[in-house]
Amino acid sequence: MSNNKTIKSALISVFSKDGLEPIVKQLDAQGVTIYSTGGTEKFIKDLGINVVPVEDVTSYPSILGGRVKTLHPKVFGGILNRQNNESDVAELAEYQIPQIDLVIVDLYPFEKTVASGASNQDIIEKIDIGGISLIRAAAKNYADVVCVASVNDYAEFLELLKSKNGDTSESDRKLFAAKAFNVSSHYDSAIFNYFNSNHDIASLKISETSGKVLRYGENPHQKGFFFGDFEAMFTKLHGKELSYNNLLDVDAAVTLMNEFKGEAPTFAILKHNNACGLAQRETLHQAYVDALAGDPVSAFGGILISNTEIDKATAEEIHGLFCEVVIAPSFSNDALEILKGKKNRILLIQNDIELPKTTVRSCLNGVLVQDRDNITDALSDLSEATNNKPSKSELEDLIFASKICKHTKSNTIVLAKNKQLCASGTGQTSRVDALNQAIHKAQSFNFDLKGSVMASDAFFPFPDCVEIADKAGITAVIQPGGSIKDQLSIDYCNENNVAMVFTGTRHFKH
């Protein structure tokens, strides 16, 4: 027995009329009876196409300022009836309920209204009732009804109409039902998250309706996916498709460079989510040169990011390095022409959009959610812990190093001098190991650490780190403080003329 159905009647009620005209004309050409309401009804009439007002079916006008239009048994009976059920068919005839084979409906733009900064009253009015009910009803009854719930599906549906002359298979209808429930579940999640913006209810609703299949995950034997609106955040100008690991590195690069937004030209090079080079200079060209000097070995295959437009001189330097991704607010035409010289090199313009306020990661058989670490250590946060006070230039370097430290894997120590990253110890199991790693790395790239500064993501439980740093030539330290043994580190610094400041804020990153 065939499960094919022919569309003979349609209910159309949409907020946005974009893309609707060719569908309406195709339905009319195929002799489909069209029911509609309000603005959609007028739109169809203006096309010169016959349309039956829903009020003629229900014998009720649109009431309560348009809040109630389609919520009626004669509408929902026409959608929810089971065409292979004799009782249902008999009741349709008894109550003069027209069969509806197709529902095209969209929803009030709730998320856009919230994003616009509208008043609570305006937002509440954009909670769709009739539309969401029509979607659920039509999608539930996909055995008999086609539901088109998004303008994004119009082209696919129009092609189906044309290619099959109004016939649909059960698999066709089930696919559109799945798309419809995708729309409705996302809509309800957005409403819940608005009402639960203070997280008074310990419940997590995450919904992303756009996504892409990646070549693979972290390793070739793992499947990988990205869910989110990448195009809202970046304009991709050139290069291959981004991989799972590329995306992780891009995320790390963006969050790090946000610390230097609006500041002097700053350039960073990242590898495996950590900065291996970063410098701030009067010109971007010099910032790049000095960032690369921080670790020219790790920079190979890295992710590059700038806080200002990349110019020709900087692009010429970058072009000599194999790198996966280059990110900037903009590129000059000359720079773009140079950097496009490598066909696989990914070039991204970062758009100015706000990052999510929370971070989410899988954990055990659930997920961990936390507020994003939005505290950036500033001069006003510092308390001087030692008799020896840092100089003006040391204070600038301390804040510079602290920003990098915040975005480096724990345990970490960051060494900097003259607004240049000298080295960092990353992801070590002890703070002493992180410091020794940083010192060894800096020295291996011929950095003179005399007069440099040290940043730590957490407090020092013992004075060993400040002692090692002092002996390496480091003259100023920034750390959260808060250890019951802080005084041991303070005493050592006082006895050896090392300046140390406390921020009061720990910046673990795991």
Side-chain angles (χ1 to χ4, degrees):
M1 180 178 176
S2 173
N3 286 319
N4 282 5
K5 302 282 183 180
T6 301
I7 297 172
K8 298 178 181 178
S9 59
L11 171 62
I12 306 176
S13 179
V14 295
F15 182 84
S16 171
K17 315 303 183 293
D18 294 343
L20 185 62
E21 181 176 341
I23 292 177
V24 172
K25 288 182 175 179
Q26 185 66 30
L27 290 171
D28 182 58
Q30 292 176 352
V32 175
T33 301
I34 299 175
Y35 301 91
S36 191
T37 65
T40 310
E41 177 190 341
K42 181 179 183 303
F43 174 82
I44 296 171
K45 281 183 178 177
D46 289 346
L47 294 176
I49 294 173
N50 289 330
V51 57
V52 179
V54 166
E55 291 90 335
D56 288 359
V57 176
T58 64
S59 300
Y60 268 90
S62 172
I63 62 173
L64 305 181
R67 279 190 164 199
V68 179
K69 290 180 286 191
T70 56
L71 295 169
H72 194 281
K74 283 198 171 183
V75 173
F76 282 86
I79 297 169
L80 284 167
N81 73 90
R82 294 155 294 186
Q83 293 179 25
N84 63 352
N85 183 295
E86 291 183 6
S87 176
D88 284 6
V89 173
E91 287 187 39
L92 288 189
E94 180 181 356
Y95 297 108
Q96 297 182 320
I97 298 173
Q99 171 66 42
I100 296 175
D101 305 310
L102 166 67
V103 173
I104 301 177
V105 62
D106 67 1
L107 301 171
Y108 292 154
F110 179 83
E111 288 180 283
K112 287 184 179 179
T113 306
V114 173
S116 72
S119 67
N120 181 67
Q121 181 179 350
D122 288 341
I123 290 170
I124 297 304
E125 286 303 316
K126 288 297 184 288
I127 297 177
D128 205 306
I129 304 300
I132 202 82
S133 301
L134 289 170
I135 288 172
R136 291 181 66 84
K140 174 181 178 176
N141 200 26
Y142 72 87
D144 295 310
V145 180
V146 184
C147 181
V148 181
S150 170
V151 66
N152 297 327
D153 299 325
Y154 282 4
E156 182 179 354
F157 176 67
L158 182 59
E159 179 59 30
L160 181 69
L161 270 182
K162 291 178 177 179
S163 64
K164 294 189 174 183
N165 197 33
D167 281 357
T168 63
S169 66
E170 184 169 355
S171 62
D172 292 332
R173 297 189 298 274
K174 190 172 183 178
L175 174 62
F176 277 96
K179 291 173 179 285
F181 283 123
N182 184 32
V183 169
S184 65
S185 61
H186 177 78
Y187 196 77
D188 283 339
S189 293
I191 294 170
F192 169 78
N193 288 331
Y194 173 74
F195 277 86
N196 196 43
S197 59
N198 293 328
H199 304 290
D200 297 322
I201 302 171
S203 180
L204 178 65
K205 298 284 189 297
I206 298 175
S207 177
E208 291 289 350
T209 55
S210 58
K212 60 171 61 179
V213 179
L214 305 175
R215 295 197 303 274
Y216 51 81
E218 204 161 5
N219 300 292
H221 62 276
Q222 296 170 272
K223 291 182 180 179
F225 306 87
F226 174 77
F227 296 100
D229 191 355
F230 185 83
E231 285 71 26
M233 189 158 190
F234 297 101
T235 301
K236 185 182 174 192
L237 303 177
H238 183 72
K240 63 182 180 180
E241 289 298 310
L242 282 96
S243 69
Y244 183 98
N245 292 326
N246 287 156
L247 289 166
L248 286 177
D249 282 330
V250 167
D251 177 71
V254 166
T255 54
L256 170 60
M257 193 52 72
N258 273 356
E259 302 288 347
F260 301 95
K261 189 175 182 179
E263 295 188 10
T266 306
F267 208 103
I269 304 171
L270 290 89
K271 196 73 172 287
H272 295 293
N273 308 158
N274 294 302
C276 58
L278 196 151
Q280 187 174 88
R281 294 291 182 261
E282 290 185 2
T283 67
L284 188 65
H285 173 265
Q286 194 59 50
Y288 169 74
V289 169
D290 290 347
L292 181 62
D295 186 348
V297 175
S298 296
F300 182 85
I303 306 294
L304 280 57
I305 187 167
S306 165
N307 71 341
T308 191
E309 180 175 277
I310 293 181
D311 55 20
K312 180 181 179 181
T314 308
E316 287 174 339
E317 292 284 352
I318 292 171
H319 193 55
L321 173 72
F322 169 69
C323 57
E324 291 273 345
V325 185
V326 185
I327 310 164
S330 59
F331 297 81
S332 73
N333 290 335
D334 288 341
L336 197 55
E337 193 65 28
I338 293 166
L339 294 174
K340 282 183 174 180
K342 299 287 178 67
K343 69 175 183 178
N344 287 331
R345 181 185 285 146
I346 299 165
L347 304 179
L348 301 175
I349 289 179
Q350 183 183 345
N351 302 321
D352 190 16
I353 69 168
E354 186 178 355
L355 292 171
K357 293 181 173 62
T358 55
T359 63
V360 182
R361 65 192 297 180
S362 61
C363 180
L364 302 175
N365 62 343
V367 295
L368 284 171
V369 181
Q370 66 172 348
D371 293 336
R372 186 178 292 275
D373 184 357
N374 286 325
I375 294 179
T376 298
D377 297 329
L379 292 175
S380 57
D381 300 320
L382 306 184
S383 61
E384 295 173 335
T386 54
N387 297 330
N388 190 31
K389 310 304 180 189
S391 66
K392 182 177 181 294
S393 62
E394 284 176 331
L395 282 171
E396 290 177 352
D397 277 346
L398 288 169
I399 293 298
F400 175 85
S402 174
K403 289 178 178 179
I404 302 171
C405 191
K406 171 184 169 183
H407 294 278
T408 306
K409 293 289 186 182
S410 299
N411 287 315
T412 185
I413 293 289
V414 168
L415 307 181
K417 184 178 180 180
N418 299 326
K419 294 188 177 179
Q420 179 184 22
L421 173 62
C422 300
S424 58
T426 63
Q428 299 302 302
T429 52
S430 86
R431 205 156 299 282
V432 171
D433 285 348
L435 175 55
N436 284 329
Q437 181 191 47
I439 292 171
H440 172 75
K441 188 173 181 180
Q443 291 173 342
S444 71
F445 290 116
N446 299 316
F447 280 99
D448 179 6
L449 293 179
K450 186 176 181 180
S452 63
V453 305
M454 173 174 74
S456 174
D457 59 339
F459 63 62
F460 300 122
F462 303 103
D464 44 9
C465 281
V466 290
E467 180 178 355
I468 295 168
D470 172 43
K471 291 178 179 177
I474 292 159
T475 56
V477 178
I478 186 169
Q479 58 133 321
S483 169
I484 59 173
K485 295 183 178 181
D486 273 344
Q487 194 60 46
L488 295 177
S489 294
I490 293 170
D491 289 344
Y492 180 90
C493 289
N494 283 336
E495 291 166 7
N496 293 275
N497 295 317
V498 176
M500 184 164 63
V501 296
F502 290 168
T503 66
T505 303
R506 188 182 75 184
H507 291 293
F508 271 164
K509 184 183 180 188
H510 294 111

